[in-house]
Amino acid sequence: KNTDAVDCEKHRGYHVGMEYGIFELLDQGNNPVTQPGAPGRVAGTGFDTFCMPLIRYATEDIAEFSSESCGCGRQSILVADFKGRLGELIFSKSGYIVPLSPVYASIHGSVVTKLREIKFIQETPGELVVRMILAPGSSRHEVEKELLADMYSKLDAQEFKILTDFVDEIPRGGRGKFGLLDQRLPVKLEHLETFGGNSDNPLSVS
C-alpha cells in the first residue's frame, strides 16, 4: 500500500493517512497541484513496503485538490474527491472527458444480473459502444432499454451516443485481463484540463 485516504464523519473529503506514506497530487508537468478544485494524478511513496520500495509511484487515479481543513479536527491532507482513473475516461462529442465509473455505477443491479459480461469501447469522441453477453433467459430488448435509460441518466444525449453490441464472446486483453474500458483514443495528462466539461458545455455526469 502506497497511500490511503478515507472519508470521515463530516464528509468534507478524504483524509490522507500520512502514517502509510507520502501522498502527492501532480499536474501534467509532474508539479504539485495547488489550485482548489483542480484535478491531478495521484503519486504515492509507501512507508511499509520494505522488500521493494515504491518511490513516487504514479497511479492512474485522478483526484481533486482541496485547500480546506475539515471540521472534524484531523490535520491530515484533505482530498476533495476521487474522479476515477486516467485509463477509464471517455471523450464527449465536444472533446471533454468524463469518468466512466459513475456511468457504470448508474446501471441498476437488475440489468447487471441479466448479463454475463460487459465491456465499454470508445473509438470516436461522443460514441460509446457497450459490448455485452446476455445471461441465459434474458431479453435483449429489455436489457437494452433499461441499460440505455440508466446510462443516459448520467450522460448528456447531446454529447454521447451509446451503441449496444450483443456478442457471444468478449476477448480478453493482455495477460488475460478483462478491463472495463477499451479506450482506443489517446488519453494524455493534458486532457485533465477539459475534465467534466465547462459551464458553456455542461455534462450531466456527477
Side-chain angles (χ1 to χ4, degrees):
K1 178 183 286 187
N2 295 312
T3 57
D4 182 71
V6 295
D7 195 5
C8 77
E9 64 275 10
K10 297 295 184 179
H11 307 296
R12 294 292 302 275
Y14 298 87
H15 294 274
V16 174
M18 295 185 291
E19 67 273 21
Y20 288 105
I22 298 173
F23 177 97
E24 296 179 87
L25 197 58
L26 306 175
D27 63 16
Q28 59 188 22
N30 287 329
N31 300 308
V33 174
T34 58
Q35 181 180 351
R41 291 181 309 149
V42 174
T45 299
F47 293 156
D48 58 354
T49 305
F50 302 105
C51 59
M52 189 180 73
L54 297 176
I55 300 173
R56 301 195 79 190
Y57 179 79
T59 71
E60 287 196 335
D61 295 313
I62 301 168
E64 185 178 297
F65 178 75
S66 175
S67 60
E68 297 182 2
S69 58
C70 185
C72 71
R74 295 176 177 87
Q75 299 300 307
S76 59
I77 297 171
L78 194 65
V79 176
D81 196 10
F82 286 93
K83 297 294 188 178
R85 298 176 65 82
L86 191 63
E88 294 182 356
L89 298 176
I90 54 177
F91 290 84
S92 73
K93 181 179 179 181
S94 299
Y96 297 106
I97 58 173
V98 294
L100 178 63
S101 53
V103 181
Y104 178 65
S106 72
I107 302 174
H108 287 86
S110 59
V111 179
V112 176
T113 58
K114 298 173 184 176
L115 298 172
R116 285 177 51 201
E117 294 179 1
I118 183 171
K119 189 178 186 72
F120 300 88
I121 302 167
Q122 186 171 44
E123 295 182 307
T124 304
E127 289 189 2
L128 187 63
V129 176
V130 187
R131 187 158 291 166
M132 298 166 282
I133 301 176
L134 281 175
S138 298
S139 165
R140 172 174 172 170
H141 174 72
E142 289 181 0
V143 168
E144 184 175 54
K145 180 180 178 181
E146 294 174 21
L147 180 135
L148 291 177
D150 289 343
M151 292 184 64
Y152 277 126
S153 71
K154 285 292 183 179
L155 291 177
D156 187 341
Q158 300 298 317
E159 290 287 341
F160 284 94
K161 180 180 180 181
I162 302 172
L163 307 172
T164 57
D165 182 23
F166 292 90
V167 297
D168 295 325
E169 182 180 2
I170 300 178
R172 291 315 197 252
R175 293 181 293 177
K177 291 188 175 181
F178 187 86
L180 182 63
L181 173 65
D182 179 2
Q183 179 52 274
R184 300 176 184 178
L185 298 172
V187 181
K188 301 178 182 179
L189 292 180
E190 52 262 35
H191 290 141
L192 293 179
E193 296 175 359
T194 64
F195 194 85
N198 59 25
S199 58
D200 296 325
N201 194 10
L203 300 179
S204 60
V205 170
S206 59

